[in-house]
Amino acid sequence: LRGKYIEAIASAADEAALEEVRLAALGKKGEISLKMRELGQMSPEERQTTGAALNRLRDEIDASLRARKQGLADAALDARLKTEWLDVTLPGRPRRMGTIHPVSQVMAELTAIFADMGFAVAEGPQVESDWFNFDALNIPPEHPARQEHDTFFMARAEGDDRPPHVLRTHTSPVQIRAMQAQGAPIRVIAPGRVYRMDMDQTHTPMFHQVEGLAIDRDISMANLKWVLEEFCRAFFEVPSVELRFRASHFPFTEPSAEVDIRCSWEGGQLKIGEGDGWLEILGSGMVHPKVLAAGGVNPDEWQGFAFGMGIDRIAMLKYGIPDLRAFFESDLRWLRHYGFAA
Ligand code: PHE
């Protein structure tokens, strides 16, 4: 009996086979268990010797079962360790990282360029009172410029006696806020979001502008021209740029000029600084005396220039992007195509 089970245990190939051997020997109806039950019918002497022998046999088989079980587990572990190994010298798999949005990137770039020229950053609210957005900028209620701005008006509940508010249509109200807060002299830029009801290939209802404002005792259009040329050379990373100042009209500047940059389209490729094309990039002029006064700055003592530039527009030019709307669609394929996402 002993030899039979010891051998069966040794040759059990896995845990299931081992369990079968255990049941056959020590299970409720196992061979040894049954033999133990027969002890009751034996004479006392016989029972003592046979009982002791059966106990020893049971313990021995039990111990042997445990040992074999452990052996099988060790062997299984060994086999796993041989096949499931990890080469820690392999290079890691690259992870796709988030990236800075092109517009944010351009904002950071232009802020750094203007900072080098001594411009600090000023801010204002996107929900703006129509006094700051219009009146203070010499656009009174009946002025036609109000209609041209395609303004989003904030809804008003009945009995709301707060002054009317709009989504700011340009960053120019920050001129007033900055002058009120800091007085003159002042040199600030104000990058941020602006809103107009407009939507096509080159317009989105939300877009970005950067306002520039420099006020001192003898600032002139010549300073404006130099600052803008310096900015464009640095921003577009070209040795020289040519800007064209076209006489224009804004209620908040006098005189006013729209500024174009020389460029060319060759085979769908935009080149800044050369060619026979012109692209409008900003509006500008000398700050109107009424605007200085609204900002609490004495127009008899101070003068200066202001400009407003479309950030999305110059980002499109710098990266050769034809459709403005794509900027705000968060399409990863588009972002990757232009190198804005991994
Ligand atoms: N605010 C004007 C616009 O949005 C741009 C501008 C700013 C023009 C400052 C002159 C001076 O079109």
Side-chain angles (χ1 to χ4, degrees), residues 218-232:
D218 53 8
I219 293 219
S220 72
M221 291 285 273
N223 301 120
L224 169 66
K225 184 163 181 278
W226 182 85
V227 164
L228 292 177
E229 279 170 0
E230 280 300 297
F231 167 75
C232 287

Side-chain angles (χ1 to χ4, degrees), residues 149 169-170 172 175 196 209 211 250 252-253 283-285 306-308:
H149 273 227
T169 57
H170 50 178
S172 297
Q175 287 186 36
R196 290 184 199 178
Q209 283 188 338
E211 195 79 5
F250 299 102
F252 31 93
T253 46
S284 65
F307 62 83

Side-chain angles (χ1 to χ4, degrees), residues 137 149 169-173 175 194 196 207 209-212 249-250 252-253 256-258 280 282-287 305-309:
L137 292 162
H149 273 227
T169 57
H170 50 178
T171 43
S172 297
Q175 287 186 36
V194 301
R196 290 184 199 178
F207 59 106
Q209 283 188 338
V210 57
E211 195 79 5
H249 177 263
F250 299 102
F252 31 93
T253 46
S256 302
E258 282 175 298
E280 185 191 323
L282 60 91
S284 65
M286 295 301 289
V287 180
F305 66 73
F307 62 83
M309 184 159 48

Side-chain angles (χ1 to χ4, degrees), residues 42-285:
M42 293 179 185
S43 69
E45 298 77 29
E46 223 182 339
R47 191 187 306 153
Q48 203 165 38
T49 51
T50 314
L54 280 174
N55 274 341
R56 253 183 281 118
L57 182 56
R58 185 198 57 204
D59 292 347
E60 194 181 346
I61 288 174
D62 189 53
S64 162
L65 279 166
R66 283 174 201 282
R68 178 68 185 149
K69 191 170 175 181
Q70 186 62 49
L72 283 171
D74 287 351
L77 184 60
D78 271 352
R80 267 186 63 186
L81 289 175
K82 279 213 187 84
T83 55
E84 294 179 12
W85 51 275
L86 180 72
D87 184 351
V88 294
T89 67
L90 280 176
R93 291 189 193 106
R95 273 183 185 232
R96 287 204 155 145
M97 305 272 271
T99 52
I100 308 289
H101 190 275
V103 171
S104 307
Q105 201 171 297
V106 162
M107 281 215 238
E109 282 170 26
L110 66 85
T111 301
I113 295 169
F114 280 113
D116 282 348
M117 293 190 275
F119 287 79
V121 171
E123 284 185 342
Q126 295 176 36
V127 176
E128 184 59 283
S129 81
D130 79 352
W131 187 83
F132 277 103
N133 196 82
F134 295 120
D135 301 65
L137 292 162
N138 196 28
I139 312 175
E142 306 319 324
H143 197 287
R146 287 217 181 193
Q147 273 67 60
E148 285 157 27
H149 273 227
D150 306 312
T151 311
F152 286 106
F153 296 92
M154 300 304 290
R156 292 169 68 75
E158 215 176 310
D160 187 342
D161 53 6
R162 290 175 297 182
H165 278 65
V166 299
L167 293 182
R168 68 179 181 193
T169 57
H170 50 178
T171 43
S172 297
V174 187
Q175 287 186 36
I176 309 296
R177 291 186 175 274
M179 283 190 280
Q180 286 185 350
Q182 302 173 36
I186 188 171
R187 228 185 299 175
V188 291
I189 57 161
R193 296 185 159 182
V194 301
Y195 302 84
R196 290 184 199 178
M197 277 187 270
D198 212 347
M199 184 72 160
D200 60 34
Q201 253 216 247
T202 53
H203 296 90
T204 48
M206 184 283 295
F207 59 106
H208 301 81
Q209 283 188 338
V210 57
E211 195 79 5
L213 177 70
I215 308 282
D216 211 320
R217 295 192 188 273
D218 53 8
I219 293 219
S220 72
M221 291 285 273
N223 301 120
L224 169 66
K225 184 163 181 278
W226 182 85
V227 164
L228 292 177
E229 279 170 0
E230 280 300 297
F231 167 75
C232 287
R233 277 200 308 123
F235 180 76
F236 292 110
E237 300 171 85
V238 290
S240 71
V241 290
E242 199 185 329
L243 297 180
R244 179 172 76 176
F245 284 65
R246 266 185 298 109
S248 182
H249 177 263
F250 299 102
F252 31 93
T253 46
E254 181 59 36
S256 302
E258 282 175 298
V259 177
D260 307 331
I261 189 167
R262 187 181 279 287
C263 64
S264 69
W265 280 100
E266 272 164 30
Q269 189 63 41
L270 184 73
K271 277 225 183 80
I272 298 289
E274 54 187 73
D276 47 17
W278 295 97
L279 251 161
E280 185 191 323
I281 54 169
L282 60 91
S284 65

Side-chain angles (χ1 to χ4, degrees), residues 9-22:
I9 290 168
S11 59
D14 53 30
E15 267 193 55
L18 204 57
E19 178 63 7
E20 267 176 43
V21 178
R22 189 186 71 78

